[in-house]
Amino acid sequence: MYGDLISEIRMELTSNADERTKGATSRFFKDGMNCYGVRATTVHKIADKYFEQIQNEQKQTIFLLCEELLGSDLFEESTIAFEWVYRMRDCYEPEDFEIFEGWIERYVNNWAKCDTLCNHSIASFIGSYPQYLSRLKAWTRSENRWLRRAAAVTLVLPARNGKFLVDILEIADSLLMDEDDLVRKGYGWMLKEASKAHQQEIYEYVMKNKKVMPRTSLRYAIEKFPQDMRKRAMEK
């Protein structure tokens, strides 16, 4: 039954694809992007349409469908999968963390997939099960760049809401000298969002570490500071 549903989704994506969108999407990612070339608004409409057919299914069934979509490596299919996963957030259980971690390891291969999964689904999971913050901290030591970025970007929305400051600073410490530019941008973004509720604490953190903090991370972190604070932070 659901094999037919996946086939229908793929047929609809194919029929809505255009080369201009595909070219623009591919150029947006430095390492390229495997995609149909479907506009984001259309992808979300397709996600809505087909979720109506499965919304009453067990979470495990929906997650299996998501995994099948993720396995194609096509960007639009991953978008649909992660949107469906987020819609199941009220049903998350502790054991789902292992599923999310495995998806990052197997299926995440660009920053957009990483951020879509982490900003929404994994952030919601951490909101329900904050004891798993220790697992995010373990990700900072992974050889997988996407797990390291995920450790930071999972906390972007909680940071914006003033949550988990101590944990955010611990993760920033672990990633402080990371050599991967996308990881640097990820923790800089996390610090920027934390500065909205904890401006003084993030300012003090930046000033303490600015001599060793990569400039990319520093610029992200201070983006929302008043001009005079940004100027002092940028001084060598």
Side-chain angles (χ1 to χ4, degrees):
M1 174 182 176
Y2 288 122
D4 291 340
L5 180 137
I6 296 292
S7 296
E8 288 178 25
I9 290 171
R10 289 172 174 162
M11 289 173 61
E12 191 154 348
L13 288 168
T14 300
S15 68
N16 281 280
D18 69 81
E19 287 302 317
R20 180 177 294 181
T21 301
K22 184 174 183 178
T25 303
S26 297
R27 287 192 297 274
F28 194 64
F29 293 87
K30 184 170 63 175
D31 298 327
M33 168 69 78
N34 189 16
C35 65
Y36 289 91
V38 181
R39 293 179 181 275
T41 53
T42 303
V43 175
H44 291 302
K45 288 177 182 177
I46 293 171
D48 289 344
K49 173 183 175 180
Y50 288 95
F51 190 75
E52 290 181 1
Q53 299 183 31
I54 62 170
Q55 60 187 336
N56 295 320
E57 292 292 338
Q58 295 291 318
K59 179 187 65 179
Q60 291 83 353
T61 299
I62 294 173
F63 277 16
L64 285 172
L65 289 168
C66 292
E67 183 136 18
E68 185 167 349
L69 290 167
L70 290 170
S72 75
D73 191 39
L74 285 155
F75 180 60
E76 293 89 346
E77 293 191 29
S78 74
T79 300
I80 293 170
F82 291 151
E83 191 161 316
W84 289 357
V85 170
Y86 182 57
R87 293 183 186 200
M88 302 302 296
R89 61 192 178 277
D90 291 339
C91 302
Y92 291 166
E93 300 168 280
E95 54 266 32
D96 293 331
F97 189 87
E98 306 294 339
I99 295 172
F100 298 153
E101 184 177 63
W103 285 349
I104 296 172
E105 292 173 330
R106 293 192 298 276
Y107 304 122
V108 168
N109 51 19
N110 61 61
W111 61 261
K113 290 181 183 179
C114 182
D115 297 1
T116 302
L117 176 60
C118 295
N119 283 169
H120 303 292
S121 296
I122 303 182
S124 294
F125 177 93
I126 292 295
S128 298
Y129 303 103
Q131 63 269 32
Y132 279 81
L133 282 161
S134 61
R135 297 288 295 274
L136 295 189
K137 294 171 190 176
W139 286 357
T140 66
R141 300 186 293 274
S142 173
E143 293 183 3
N144 185 319
R145 68 191 302 200
W146 303 117
L147 281 171
R148 300 200 309 278
R149 181 177 170 95
V153 299
T154 292
L155 295 185
V156 161
L157 294 183
R160 187 180 299 167
N161 294 321
K163 297 179 180 178
F164 306 137
L165 179 63
V166 171
D167 305 285
I168 285 165
L169 296 180
E170 285 184 29
I171 287 172
D173 278 343
S174 295
L175 299 175
L176 189 65
M177 304 290 287
D178 201 283
E179 296 182 356
D180 191 297
D181 190 55
L182 287 171
V183 176
R184 293 176 176 183
K185 289 177 179 177
Y187 89 76
W189 181 20
M190 175 184 68
L191 291 173
K192 175 178 72 174
E193 297 302 331
S195 76
K196 294 175 181 178
H198 298 286
Q199 184 182 87
Q200 188 60 34
E201 292 93 333
I202 299 302
Y203 178 69
E204 290 172 2
Y205 181 85
V206 168
M207 295 302 287
K208 181 180 73 174
N209 292 290
K210 70 174 189 173
K211 290 184 179 179
V212 296
M213 183 182 288
R215 300 301 273 185
T216 298
S217 305
L218 178 62
R219 290 190 186 97
Y220 268 78
I222 67 174
E223 189 176 315
K224 297 300 180 180
F225 286 173
Q227 185 175 356
D228 61 326
M229 295 174 75
R230 291 202 309 272
K231 183 177 179 181
R232 287 196 295 273
M234 291 297 291
E235 289 172 353
K236 293 187 177 181

